Amino acid sequence: MAVHLGTTRPYRPRYPHPETGRATKNVVDRAALPAIRPCPALVAAREARSTSMEMEYKDNTRRGKFVIIVGVVLAVVAGGAAFYLIQQAQQTAGQGEAQLVDVVVAAQKIPARTPIQPGAVEVRKVPLDEELQVGIVTKPTELTGKVLAISLEIGQPIYSNMIATASGTSGLAILGPDETIAPNSPAWRAISITIPDERAVAGLLTPGQSIDIFITASIPVPLTTKPEGIYYSDMATKITYQDMVILGRAGTQYILRASLPVAEEINHLLATATVQFSAALRPDQDVRYVDVSKLGATTNRILQKYGLPFPVVYPAPSATIPPQPPLQTPTPPPPPAPAPSG
């Protein structure tokens, strides 16, 4: 039996099978082969290599476990931090706990500068904290006829500062709470006039009060006016506008509500600069209009009505002024005595 170098298996040539005629491999009886012992040096090298690989494998396993443990710890820390931050945010948000309050909201889309109709708003319960409840409107009747400065969508709450007549820095509301705009309603306007404090109830007038306006105008009379000697240039005063509501005030400037014709007259008088305005406060309950056709004050009328005496020339032209004694020259006071020396 021939044995080739580099292998432990004997070589057997292939012979055809007696029945099939095909070449087959001969089965070798391993038990009949002589035992081949490996080299001791090779066995020791293999064992050392096996031990080294087992130790390296065991080291890699411990390192992976350590990495996994560190990752788990970091994940737990991150989760705890997130939970803490969420709890803090909830506590901070819970300081202003929202409450369900009745708020007037838009029941339909309301364009800006359009009067609010009765069915355009409704009351809903809306969760709002105490800070967001400032300025809310709770009664739909308070908004009927009011004009909004902005457009509103369905379900949007309505605040008092959204009303056009109460928004901005003017703070003026020309119409009253129960007044609306109708085809036959007066065309109300806001105008301003200057009234000094001495002619405006000492400057104690405030918005919301009703006053009567007096006009004092200079009336020049030409010298050629006939009949001569009856009329002369003077000033005339008369109450002209009654029950005017003060909408606002800025110092001596009073903003009043007036109808369109009255606003036109007042602006004309202001442009001529020949009139002065005065104000008289009237009771809130008194809404009567006084017949002023027979009123009006001039200097002559006041003198005649109250019987004021007319001043005369003194002394009379025919009288002589008695002589007055001459005035004596006053004696000067004595000089002060010198102070004693110490």
Side-chain angles (χ1 to χ4, degrees):
M1 180 180 60
V3 179
H4 295 275
L5 295 177
T7 180
T8 57
R9 298 179 59 185
Y11 173 77
R12 294 287 188 270
R14 297 182 178 181
Y15 298 98
H17 194 271
E19 295 181 0
T20 60
R22 295 180 181 179
T24 59
K25 294 182 179 180
N26 295 327
V27 180
V28 180
D29 187 3
R30 294 183 180 271
L33 295 177
I36 301 175
R37 296 182 179 180
C39 180
L42 295 177
V43 173
R46 290 179 181 177
E47 291 180 355
R49 186 182 302 175
S50 177
T51 305
S52 175
M53 292 178 63
E54 290 178 358
M55 292 178 63
E56 184 178 359
Y57 177 75
K58 292 179 181 179
D59 290 341
N60 290 339
T61 303
R62 292 175 182 176
R63 185 181 302 173
K65 291 181 179 180
F66 176 76
V67 173
I68 294 174
I69 293 174
V70 171
V72 172
V73 172
L74 292 177
V76 172
V77 172
F83 179 78
Y84 175 77
L85 294 177
I86 293 174
Q87 290 294 328
Q88 290 294 109
Q90 291 179 352
Q91 291 178 2
T92 303
Q95 291 178 357
E97 185 177 357
Q99 301 177 357
L100 290 177
V101 295
D102 292 335
V103 180
V104 177
V105 301
Q108 60 188 22
K109 186 175 181 179
I110 304 177
R113 307 299 304 175
T114 303
I116 299 177
Q117 303 300 326
V121 295
E122 62 183 4
V123 178
R124 292 183 185 177
K125 288 190 176 295
V126 179
L128 296 176
D129 55 24
E130 295 182 357
E131 295 181 356
L132 296 179
Q133 294 178 18
V134 178
I136 62 174
V137 181
T138 58
K139 297 181 180 179
T141 55
E142 298 178 358
L143 298 175
T144 303
K146 297 295 181 64
V147 177
L148 297 178
I150 60 175
S151 300
L152 293 182
E153 300 294 335
I154 299 177
Q156 185 174 355
I158 301 177
Y159 290 84
S160 57
N161 58 357
M162 295 180 179
I163 302 175
T165 53
S167 61
T169 58
S170 62
L172 300 179
I174 299 179
L175 298 180
D178 300 330
E179 293 181 322
T180 57
I181 299 297
N184 57 349
S185 62
W188 296 112
R189 300 294 184 266
I191 60 171
S192 63
I193 61 176
T194 301
I195 308 177
D197 291 344
E198 64 269 14
R199 298 202 304 267
V201 197
L204 300 178
L205 299 176
T206 58
Q209 294 177 332
S210 298
I211 59 175
D212 295 335
I213 298 296
F214 296 85
I215 288 181
T216 301
S218 298
I219 304 177
V221 176
L223 298 177
T224 57
T225 302
K226 302 295 183 177
E228 297 179 0
I230 296 180
Y231 302 102
Y232 69 98
S233 300
D234 195 5
M235 303 184 73
T237 301
K238 188 171 184 177
I239 180 173
T240 50
Y241 307 113
Q242 302 182 47
D243 196 21
M244 301 193 73
V245 180
I246 302 175
L247 301 178
R249 177 186 175 185
T252 58
Q253 292 280 336
Y254 290 87
I255 304 170
L256 308 176
R257 186 179 81 159
S259 62
L260 191 58
V262 172
E264 184 180 59
E265 295 175 3
I266 292 178
N267 280 280
H268 174 75
L269 294 175
L270 291 172
T272 60
T274 58
V275 299
Q276 300 178 15
F277 294 97
S278 304
L281 180 64
R282 64 187 299 162
D284 296 335
Q285 297 82 0
D286 190 359
V287 294
R288 299 172 298 171
Y289 273 76
V290 181
D291 183 10
V292 298
S293 59
K294 297 181 180 181
L295 297 180
T298 61
T299 304
N300 287 344
R301 284 190 176 185
I302 294 175
L303 295 176
Q304 294 173 359
K305 181 178 181 179
Y306 295 100
L308 272 69
F310 287 85
V312 297
V313 177
Y314 179 84
S318 59
T320 58
I321 301 176
Q324 301 292 330
L327 298 176
Q328 296 181 359
T329 303
T331 303
S341 60

